[in-house]
């Protein structure tokens, strides 16, 4: 399944964005789906969720600001990002995963750019 991310943009500090990840309508079949990012700090895990929409988990740097969810009817993974900070500037990508806090590298999408202007 080829994953495609969208929703990235230039936003001011404190702003909000919602990212989407689609597998072209194909159901997510791995146990988990993951959001990660590549920015100034390198490659980082951001959030994971079970493919049935349960058990979300977050990196400490985004907890209480980001919310991960899955629309199982549409087979779309989302990342709602609030109170964005300059440190959140990165290329955000989604990937399949067998475990939380991980990803299958070969499944990563090309990503969508989020830039937070300070």
């Amino acid at each position: 399944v080829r994953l495609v991310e969208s929703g990235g943009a230039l936003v001011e500090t404190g702003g909000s964005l919602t990212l989407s990840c689609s597998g072209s309508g194909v159901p997510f079949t791995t146990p988990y789906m993951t959001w990660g990012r590549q920015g100034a700090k390198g490659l980082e895990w951001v959030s994971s969720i079970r493919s049935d929409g349960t058990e979300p988990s977050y990196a400490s740097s985004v907890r209480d600001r980001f919310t991960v969810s899955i629309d199982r009817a549409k087979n779309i993974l989302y990342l709602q990002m609030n109170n964005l900070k300059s440190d959140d500037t990165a290329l955000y990508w989604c990937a399949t995963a067998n475990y939380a806090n991980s990803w299958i590298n070969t499944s990563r999408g090309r990503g969508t750019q989020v830039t937070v202007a300070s």
Side-chain angles (χ1 to χ4, degrees), residues 2-115:
R2 178 169 174 257
L3 298 174
V4 179
E5 304 89 343
S6 62
L10 172 64
V11 63
E12 292 185 351
T13 299
S16 298
L17 281 175
T18 299
L19 306 182
S20 301
C21 168
S22 173
S24 300
V26 177
F28 302 129
T29 57
T30 51
Y32 290 87
M33 293 296 295
T34 284
W35 282 103
R37 63 189 182 186
Q38 182 153 15
K41 297 180 181 179
L43 211 58
E44 289 185 276
W45 169 79
V46 172
S47 178
S48 292
I49 188 169
R50 291 191 69 91
S51 292
D52 65 1
T54 62
E55 298 182 20
S57 57
Y58 303 94
S60 58
S61 59
V62 307
R63 191 174 294 126
D64 299 328
R65 298 188 298 121
F66 290 11
T67 302
V68 64
S69 62
I70 286 180
D71 184 328
R72 296 178 64 194
K74 297 180 180 179
N75 300 307
I76 298 177
L77 173 72
Y78 296 102
L79 186 69
Q80 171 69 42
M81 305 186 296
N82 297 324
N83 190 21
L84 283 161
K85 306 175 181 180
S86 57
D87 285 349
D88 296 319
T89 294
L91 182 71
Y92 285 73
W93 43 265
C94 60
T96 59
N98 289 319
Y99 308 96
N101 305 13
S102 71
W103 63 86
I104 299 171
N105 207 44
T106 54
S107 73
R108 283 172 50 194
R110 293 186 176 181
T112 186
Q113 180 67 37
V114 173
T115 302

